[in-house]
Amino acid sequence: MSIKMVALTFFVFCSLFTVTTDSFAQTKDQEAVGQAVEKLRLLMISPDKAKLEALASDDLSYGHSGGKIENKAAFVEALTSGTSDFVSIELADQSVTVVDNTALVRHKLMGETLDKGKPGQVKLSVLLVWIKQKGNWKLLARQAVKI
């Protein structure tokens, strides 16, 4: 094999490796948003009013798969009162896209519920919109659909 062929092969290999590893690398903002999503997941299972209020934007628009829309106060109240009671939540197929100070998160949510004492299961596809305010990622909007 000639030197040119070896060099070309090496260049192609390195280029492919760089593209592959870069596609899996997350930015600091993507990591921070992922951490915020995990905080939200845990707070939906074990609600804490102050922590939920700190995580949600004052302008929150929280859409349920059945069409109900809640503002920040109603979202926090539903979780802390037990009206919306998650026993467990698993997230899958999550993607995080950050554009400036806005992040779009899509994932599948599977969960066990105990709303008003009645056991149930949910399987949802969810879109979350996060906004960076004063250095913190806040949940601005959420919309879920049944799958």
Side-chain angles (χ1 to χ4, degrees):
M1 196 182 278
S2 73
I3 294 285
K4 286 182 182 179
M5 191 59 134
V6 170
L8 180 61
T9 303
F10 180 75
F11 175 75
V12 170
F13 175 78
C14 288
S15 296
L16 289 173
F17 182 76
T18 301
V19 169
T20 301
T21 57
D22 286 348
S23 66
F24 292 107
Q26 283 194 321
T27 67
K28 288 182 182 181
D29 279 335
Q30 286 173 312
E31 289 179 30
V33 171
Q35 291 170 359
V37 171
E38 179 60 10
K39 283 181 191 176
L40 176 62
R41 184 186 76 82
L42 294 173
L43 285 169
M44 290 174 73
I45 297 167
S46 298
D48 177 287
K49 183 177 181 178
K51 290 179 182 178
L52 283 166
E53 288 176 343
L55 194 61
S57 166
D58 290 342
D59 299 312
L60 177 66
S61 176
Y62 190 91
H64 291 268
S65 61
K68 183 177 180 180
I69 306 290
E70 295 172 331
N71 64 15
K72 180 178 178 176
F75 160 73
V76 171
E77 175 62 23
L79 287 170
T80 57
S81 71
T83 302
S84 182
D85 187 2
F86 284 93
V87 176
S88 68
I89 296 174
E90 291 182 34
L91 304 178
D93 302 329
Q94 183 163 287
S95 67
V96 178
T97 304
V98 177
V99 179
D100 298 324
N101 69 334
T102 305
L104 304 176
V105 178
R106 290 186 181 275
H107 58 230
K108 291 188 174 71
L109 181 152
M110 287 72 61
E112 301 289 328
T113 60
L114 197 58
D115 296 348
K116 298 180 184 175
K118 182 180 176 185
Q121 293 183 338
V122 293
K123 293 181 183 175
L124 306 170
S125 186
V126 178
L127 169 64
L128 301 171
V129 179
W130 295 82
I131 189 163
K132 197 172 194 178
Q133 296 177 327
K134 298 180 183 175
N136 296 310
W137 288 100
K138 306 274 188 168
L139 181 61
L140 178 63
R142 183 250 201 192
Q143 186 58 60
V145 295
K146 293 176 185 172
I147 52 174

